[in-house]
Amino acid sequence: MIVPRIFRPQAIIPALLLLAAPLAVHAQGDAVGTPQHTRTFERLFGISRHIDPERVAEVKALPPGEKLEIDTTGDGKINEVWYIDNGYRHDKEIILVRAVDEDGDYAETGRMDLDSDLYFFDWDADGYIDVVIDYVDDDGDNDLDQMGLFYNKNWRDGKDDMTVWWAMDIGDDNLLWYDVNGTYYQPLCQWRTHFSGDELFYQFRLTVDDEKWVNVWEDPFAFYDPDGDLASEVVVRISAVGDQVKNLRYSIDADDDAYGRDTHNYDFSITALPPEEGLSTEGWHSEVLTIRGVETLPVLSWDKTKEFGQQANWGKAMLTWDEINSNTDENPAQDPHERWEGILNAKSKHGDFEQVGGPPSSPFNKRVEVSANPASPLALYFDEVDQRFHLLGADYGYMDVDYNLDGVVDGAQTWKDTDGDGKLDVREIDVNNDGVVDIVQALKPGDRAFALEFEAFPDTYKPAIARALEEGQAFIDTAVGVLGETPADVQEIIDFYSGPLAAHHPETEIGLRIRNTPAGARFYVELVRDRLFARMKRDHADKPYMEEVVRRYEAGDYAGATTHLQNRAGVIPYPAGTAPLARNGQTYTRRIPVTVSASVTDEAPQFYQDYPVSIPVADLRATAPDFNPANCVVVDGEFWLDWRAVPHQVDSWRHAGHISNSAKNDTARRGRSEIQLGSEWLVGNNDSAAGFTGLSFNGVRTSGGAMELSFVADIEPGESRLFYVYYNPESAQALAYTKLTNAVPENPGYVAWESDAGAFRFYTGQFDFFGKQVQLLPRDERLIYPLIDVNYHAQQDWGIDALHVGKTSGLGGVTVYRGDTAYPVQSPAGEGDVTFEYKVLGSGPVRAAVEMIATNVFPDQPEAPVSIRAFIYAGRAESEINVLLPEGLDGASIAAGLMRLEGGDSFSRAGAIGEWGYHGDDIGEIGLALAWKPEPSAGAVLSREAERHVVTGQGDRATYWIRGGWRRGMQYPVSYDHQNWEREIREWAAALHADLAVSVGEKQDTDRQ
């Protein structure tokens, strides 16, 4: 299975990986009604593992969706619920569940929850409990802190026993393990189990002969999130049975590029084995757990695990560094995700270090270093020549290069310690794997020992990557100028990087991530740089300047080698990044620089992901009067071997100003035209009436009637990113970008719009949203509209209609206030005088837009229209809403409504309000949120019976944003709750409120002069 695309698997695939699927089957000879292999179960849970056949029959006879409620204590309070679990994620034909309320809140909420309740799962409803999940709230705050998944594993000794995965949420982010059929199957559950943040888990076994739980193999698996972004930067796995340690894996995200969005993003690992005399954790133990009333043997605690991993007396160690920035299995077709376990080492090619865990990472494009006597504590050092971290104590190192990912070695690199001092001092490079060493570098190891702490690495590693990219590209440009052409064996690498790489496993965007990240690009830039140098060293050996070029290059002074080559060879390079751009048979000789800058503020998020940027075409034409929006390309300003195109869109979905009733439906009079260019929409509107576009992300309005060019950008606070808009003044050109937004007119009487991350619908003035299971589908398969002959009120593979709006505003319906009088721009459930007309304005690779025009809102002006436009951007889960009122409504305020969720939790902050609550058994928990730009005229919250109204603007216009969340569709749904939603909305609103500065530079001509 590559990606679990369908939430309900048709067949459970046996897990072959580290966390094997539990073999929760009836033990041999253990038939229903017999006592064999049940004593340990009864010791833990105080009940028989066998269910009374009459109870089984009673539960199976329940009408669909109904539950059997039982008061087993006689105190008048329900504390057990029995039911048939037909949850969409399960694949068993029938599962009988006995749920026990262990914290006494069922009487209050009327449902079992995921904090302190206990669930018994009887597969096939045959009267035998197969697996158990125990959720634990250990501090009384009604959220999940610990959980255990209990099952029978077929241990070789065949004892009456239970095994448990016991997970602990150290960081209190409420995110732990996902299950299918009440247990953990690795292929189906691992990417929806958090395995990140600050948390850990153990594996324990308890047999009929044991007084205490015994830790087996995972002791523990610990995750650390020092920067608080919910994505762990360090993961440490200690494998042990009891006190006896088997091995260590210690992985770190050295370039700190997860930003909370790429949950598993590790760059290197140290795998270590104990010495021959063995290694014990005795003396390091600091904790004894109690699981279902039974103590464990002493275990390593979360705060001791890193320390033990670093300082224990390890006998052998291996460094595995992911040079290509893609930590997948050795066979990505088996699983194209980056591993949550860290970097799993492969067996060393010399046979002196074993594989630990599996499946291993690829044997290609991973730098491996092996030490028979590693430093204690474990540490790395940095070398100034190759600009890399190395394992202190390493005897040797190597990397087999496979640049085109076809499984064939294309180059080889080796590192040697010639003087035996524990530091590698020579690097040899065979650029094409022909057995001939082309480059020999004398290394200069640094004296500083870098402890295995995340904070030690980014400040050194990230500048090293940036320097390698800058100096490498400069050398490439110069070398090509000296050679007069790009050699074929060099061009093949550039061509792969520029083209096929992006299509390498698009379902998880492995190739795109390699190409578009500095660490991945560095891998290819250095391969090209080295091949060019090797060619010059061979073909220009007789040139007087080459001796000094070779000396500087092999000393790691690439900038000096470049400068000397330019000065002595008399070649002033024409940097590739300033050459004309060729795309799709077109040549673009003119470009406009655009800079996007994000300031650092107290409220700024750690990272702006897919932040929409909109630039009026008028601004581009101010510097380039011949700018042609029908034939342009946006590229990332960082040139790494080639330009990387950024999907863009040009449209003019502006607000049409104050519309007269006679003109509002006359598209011919408004001069509207739509031209579809491949999968890109270029939308024109010739109407010159005054108005505003309302298209920029933060509500800043551009000039009326102006076309806009839009794209989305990733940016860090304090960063300025450069983009170029290349263009050809003539003709039109179709650009084949993937369509990631969509909008459709649905019948009868509503309109729907979506991105790959969110989906909304508007009907009779009410907004609702569809919950998507976006993590289960590639981006280009996440669009769901139109929903034809689909029962979207029942869960589907893609998700569900997640909001029952009733007669409320739903998620953002508009109400106009004039003094104390409210004028709802709604006819809830189709009942009311307000009438609507809907229009799809368009959709494309970057954004989609729809328009809703309402009349009969104001009794004294029934023909006066209220215009509502909704926009959505690729990669964004929210929708921007713009409202324009008719002229002549003095003293008007525009309010957006947010319905209350029954029994839900509400919160508010500057510029945002939200709700989190249960929304019925069919949907489960959902979240709703509204955000607006904080300003003196906005923010007043008006309480209504079934909803809250927020004044988002005064006068004739307002901008706000709406967002919905569906727990079951989230990547980590256990046990995401109101605290998680509030944190997410707080960070989301802070990003919306930020002002990213966009500046347009002077036109540049890239024709060679």
Side-chain angles (χ1 to χ4, degrees):
M1 176 175 287
I2 295 177
V3 177
R5 296 187 176 188
I6 298 178
F7 205 56
R8 173 180 287 174
Q10 298 304 309
I12 293 297
I13 300 175
L16 303 177
L17 311 182
L18 178 63
L19 294 182
L23 299 177
V25 297
H26 302 188
Q28 186 174 4
D30 187 11
V32 174
T34 64
Q36 297 175 353
H37 288 78
T38 65
R39 286 177 294 170
T40 303
F41 182 94
E42 292 173 6
R43 176 184 175 188
L44 292 172
F45 302 110
I47 63 171
S48 172
R49 192 163 195 168
H50 300 282
I51 304 172
D52 187 316
E54 293 184 1
R55 177 55 52 81
V56 173
E58 183 181 10
V59 177
K60 291 173 69 175
L62 290 170
E66 288 197 11
K67 297 178 174 65
L68 177 65
E69 298 180 323
I70 301 175
D71 170 14
T72 65
T73 63
D75 64 355
K77 294 183 178 180
I78 302 300
N79 66 317
E80 282 194 13
V81 174
W82 295 66
Y83 58 95
I84 299 299
D85 188 348
N86 58 357
Y88 198 82
R89 69 187 184 280
H90 302 317
D91 83 318
K92 297 290 184 182
E93 184 174 345
I94 183 172
I95 302 176
L96 185 150
V97 176
R98 177 185 186 179
V100 180
D101 175 25
E102 294 200 315
D103 59 352
D105 60 0
Y106 185 85
E108 178 182 348
T109 65
R111 61 180 183 274
M112 293 294 174
D113 52 38
L114 303 182
D115 52 32
S116 286
D117 292 348
L118 182 65
Y119 294 78
F120 299 93
F121 296 83
D122 171 8
W123 297 347
D124 306 320
D126 59 4
Y128 181 91
I129 298 172
D130 296 275
V131 293
V132 183
I133 301 182
D134 186 10
Y135 298 96
V136 178
D137 168 18
D138 60 21
D139 56 8
D141 61 355
N142 294 316
D143 65 28
L144 179 64
D145 299 307
Q146 302 184 49
M147 68 179 290
L149 292 91
F150 298 82
Y151 63 98
N152 287 113
K153 181 175 180 179
N154 286 347
W155 298 94
R156 293 179 181 177
D157 56 23
K159 290 185 178 182
D160 176 357
D161 71 329
M162 291 294 292
T163 300
V164 65
W165 296 116
W166 192 260
M168 305 177 69
D169 178 20
I170 305 299
D172 199 29
D173 59 26
N174 312 320
L175 305 177
L176 285 176
W177 285 43
Y178 182 76
D179 75 277
V180 170
N181 301 331
T183 193
Y184 179 88
Y185 299 93
Q186 181 146 350
L188 301 176
C189 299
Q190 62 181 328
W191 306 120
R192 306 202 72 188
T193 297
H194 193 221
F195 291 139
S196 200
D198 288 330
E199 61 190 53
L200 81 165
F201 68 86
Y202 304 88
Q203 185 183 40
F204 293 107
R205 185 191 185 204
L206 183 69
T207 76
V208 70
D209 302 322
D210 293 325
E211 178 184 351
K212 298 184 178 183
W213 288 99
V214 178
N215 51 295
V216 282
W217 305 121
E218 316 300 347
D219 185 31
F221 229 127
F223 305 85
Y224 302 86
D225 177 21
D227 64 4
D229 64 356
L230 300 186
S232 54
E233 284 74 38
V234 181
V235 55
V236 183
R237 174 187 183 258
I238 306 290
S239 182
V241 176
D243 286 335
Q244 298 306 303
V245 176
K246 304 299 181 182
N247 51 63
L248 161 78
R249 184 189 311 117
Y250 198 121
S251 302
I252 292 180
D253 173 17
D255 57 4
D256 188 25
D257 61 349
Y259 303 115
R261 56 179 187 158
D262 298 324
T263 316
H264 319 293
N265 199 325
Y266 304 106
D267 296 302
F268 77 88
S269 71
I270 294 180
T271 306
L273 304 174
E276 291 185 3
E277 64 270 20
L279 181 62
S280 173
T281 54
E282 188 175 1
W284 290 87
H285 297 142
S286 61
E287 191 163 14
V288 172
L289 308 179
T290 300
I291 299 176
R292 302 305 305 176
V294 179
E295 287 189 348
T296 68
L297 292 176
V299 294
L300 287 170
S301 65
W302 179 81
D303 55 3
K304 284 289 186 181
T305 298
K306 280 202 305 179
E307 184 180 359
F308 177 81
Q310 293 176 18
Q311 300 194 20
N313 182 31
W314 298 103
K316 297 169 66 176
M318 173 189 279
L319 170 74
T320 304
W321 197 289
D322 177 23
E323 293 283 353
I324 201 170
N325 205 29
S326 176
N327 175 34
T328 63
D329 288 357
E330 59 181 337
N331 177 17
Q334 174 176 282
D335 191 336
H337 296 85
E338 291 205 84
R339 301 304 309 175
W340 58 265
E341 302 97 330
I343 310 280
L344 282 74
N345 76 304
K347 181 180 179 180
S348 69
K349 63 190 300 182
H350 302 304
D352 55 352
F353 202 99
E354 65 190 56
Q355 174 186 324
V356 174
S361 61
S362 172
F364 306 113
N365 309 324
K366 302 292 187 288
R367 176 164 50 91
V368 175
E369 297 175 9
V370 176
S371 173
N373 185 27
S376 184
L378 293 172
L380 305 185
Y381 65 90
F382 188 75
D383 189 275
E384 293 298 331
V385 173
D386 69 359
Q387 291 285 294
R388 283 167 167 80
F389 286 100
H390 297 278
L391 176 64
L392 189 57
D395 302 310
Y396 68 90
Y398 64 86
M399 179 171 66
D400 288 338
V401 174
D402 172 20
Y403 78 81
N404 56 3
L405 310 178
D406 63 356
V408 177
V409 179
D410 302 310
Q413 302 183 21
T414 59
W415 286 260
K416 299 177 180 179
D417 175 12
T418 61
D419 58 10
D421 68 349
K423 292 184 177 181
L424 303 171
D425 47 41
V426 173
R427 180 192 191 193
E428 297 178 344
I429 303 173
D430 175 356
V431 298
N432 56 7
N433 199 41
D434 63 357
V436 176
V437 173
D438 301 287
I439 303 169
V440 179
Q441 291 185 314
L443 303 181
K444 294 182 179 179
D447 294 329
R448 175 185 172 186
F450 287 78
L452 298 186
E453 297 289 349
F454 158 73
E455 295 84 352
F457 292 94
D459 287 347
T460 299
Y461 187 49
K462 293 175 76 171
I465 296 172
R467 175 182 171 186
L469 289 168
E470 180 181 358
E471 295 182 355
Q473 189 63 56
F475 184 87
I476 290 167
D477 294 339
T478 301
V480 169
V482 172
L483 292 172
E485 63 178 358
T486 303
D489 67 332
V490 171
Q491 190 62 48
E492 66 185 16
I493 299 178
I494 297 174
D495 289 345
F496 180 80
Y497 172 83
S498 302
L501 177 59
H504 183 64
H505 287 286
E507 68 272 29
T508 52
E509 299 185 339
I510 293 176
L512 278 172
R513 185 172 61 251
I514 295 172
R515 192 185 70 173
N516 294 335
T517 56
R522 175 192 187 179
F523 176 79
Y524 284 92
V525 166
E526 291 190 340
L527 293 183
V528 169
R529 182 200 68 193
D530 288 345
R531 282 200 179 187
L532 282 169
F533 172 72
R535 174 62 65 91
M536 292 188 62
K537 185 178 176 182
R538 185 190 72 189
D539 294 352
H540 289 224
D542 59 341
K543 302 297 183 182
Y545 51 76
M546 278 307 297
E547 181 178 355
E548 181 65 11
V549 170
V550 170
R551 185 189 71 79
R552 295 191 181 193
Y553 191 99
E554 295 191 342
D557 181 11
Y558 305 114
T562 300
T563 299
H564 184 79
L565 192 58
Q566 292 174 1
N567 293 339
R568 296 298 301 276
V571 174
I572 304 300
Y574 191 84
T578 60
L581 174 66
R583 282 288 187 278
N584 298 326
Q586 297 278 305
T587 300
Y588 300 90
T589 61
R590 302 166 195 184
R591 70 184 187 186
I592 307 167
V594 173
T595 302
V596 181
S597 303
S599 60
V600 178
T601 67
D602 292 340
E603 292 292 321
Q606 291 183 324
F607 191 74
Y608 296 95
Q609 181 180 2
D610 292 328
Y611 201 99
V613 177
S614 296
I615 307 168
V617 169
D619 288 0
L620 297 169
R621 283 179 171 159
T623 185
D626 60 349
F627 173 69
N628 179 10
N631 197 356
C632 63
V633 181
V634 179
V635 299
D636 193 298
E638 296 280 3
F639 184 90
W640 303 328
L641 300 181
D642 194 6
W643 291 117
R644 288 159 291 116
V646 177
H648 78 278
Q649 191 169 321
V650 179
D651 54 58
S652 62
W653 299 329
R654 66 178 182 82
H655 230 302
H658 297 290
I659 308 167
S660 67
N661 184 61
S662 61
K664 65 185 176 69
N665 297 319
D666 189 350
T667 56
R669 289 179 60 183
R670 296 176 64 190
R672 180 175 173 75
S673 62
E674 293 185 355
I675 308 167
Q676 190 174 10
L677 301 177
S679 59
E680 177 190 21
W681 279 91
L682 176 69
V683 180
N685 191 316
N686 300 320
D687 184 7
S688 60
F692 70 95
T693 64
L695 293 181
S696 65
F697 192 51
N698 59 14
V700 177
R701 296 152 189 166
T702 59
S703 57
M707 276 187 172
E708 288 188 329
L709 180 148
S710 63
F711 58 91
V712 296
D714 296 342
I715 189 167
E716 294 183 54
E719 180 185 22
S720 291
R721 288 199 59 191
L722 176 65
F723 298 86
Y724 287 105
V725 182
Y726 276 84
Y727 68 96
N728 186 319
E730 301 175 354
S731 74
Q733 175 68 21
L735 301 177
Y737 300 131
T738 299
K739 185 176 180 179
L740 295 178
T741 71
N742 191 29
V744 296
E746 293 286 351
N747 292 314
Y750 63 85
V751 66
W753 63 103
E754 63 176 328
S755 71
D756 56 315
F760 299 88
R761 186 172 60 160
F762 179 96
Y763 51 95
T764 62
Q766 301 165 284
F767 289 88
D768 74 352
F769 81 99
F770 284 81
K772 289 189 176 186
Q773 296 178 137
V774 297
Q775 299 299 331
L776 303 185
L777 295 170
R779 290 190 74 182
D780 61 349
E781 297 181 18
R782 296 177 186 175
L783 301 181
I784 62 175
Y785 296 141
L787 295 172
I788 301 174
D789 298 326
V790 175
N791 179 15
Y792 46 73
H793 296 297
Q795 188 168 332
Q796 306 294 326
D797 293 342
W798 51 262
I800 197 171
D801 180 358
L803 185 62
H804 301 317
V805 300
K807 293 188 176 183
T808 71
S809 297
L811 179 55
V814 177
T815 297
V816 178
Y817 284 87
R818 299 171 68 183
D820 295 331
T821 304
Y823 297 90
V825 189
Q826 303 167 30
S827 291
E831 300 174 3
D833 296 327
V834 180
T835 59
F836 294 89
E837 295 180 8
Y838 308 95
K839 182 181 297 182
V840 170
L841 301 181
S843 57
V846 177
R847 65 184 181 188
V850 296
E851 182 176 48
M852 296 74 72
I853 299 176
T855 52
N856 276 337
V857 176
F858 310 104
D860 57 340
Q861 301 180 53
E863 298 298 316
V866 175
S867 177
I868 303 170
R869 287 204 174 187
F871 306 89
I872 197 164
Y873 288 83
R876 305 297 304 187
E878 79 280 339
S879 178
E880 177 185 333
I881 309 298
N882 287 306
V883 182
L884 181 66
L885 301 182
E887 295 175 304
L889 297 180
D890 295 336
S893 297
I894 300 170
L898 190 71
M899 69 177 291
R900 298 183 187 276
L901 298 175
E902 185 175 353
D905 294 284
S906 301
F907 60 87
S908 61
R909 51 156 289 118
I913 62 172
E915 293 274 334
W916 180 266
Y918 197 75
H919 207 50
D921 290 346
D922 55 339
I923 295 172
E925 294 94 343
I926 64 170
L928 307 175
L930 270 171
W932 61 95
K933 198 75 170 179
E935 54 187 33
S937 62
V941 179
L942 311 174
S943 180
R944 297 294 180 260
E945 181 178 357
E947 57 190 271
R948 288 183 288 171
H949 289 181
V950 179
V951 175
T952 56
Q954 294 183 348
D956 63 355
R957 60 198 66 196
T959 296
Y960 58 94
W961 297 266
I962 59 176
R963 180 171 173 179
W966 174 50
R967 183 181 67 81
R968 293 177 187 170
M970 293 174 176
Q971 183 172 3
Y972 307 115
V974 182
S975 174
Y976 190 105
D977 67 7
H978 68 97
Q979 298 174 78
N980 300 79
W981 182 244
E982 184 170 355
R983 169 178 171 154
E984 190 168 337
I985 297 307
R986 181 177 67 248
E987 295 177 350
W988 168 69
L992 293 173
H993 299 158
D995 287 314
L996 266 67
V998 180
S999 61
V1000 177
E1002 294 298 319
K1003 168 188 171 182
Q1004 300 173 359
D1005 196 326
T1006 61
D1007 278 330
R1008 295 180 183 270
Q1009 300 298 321

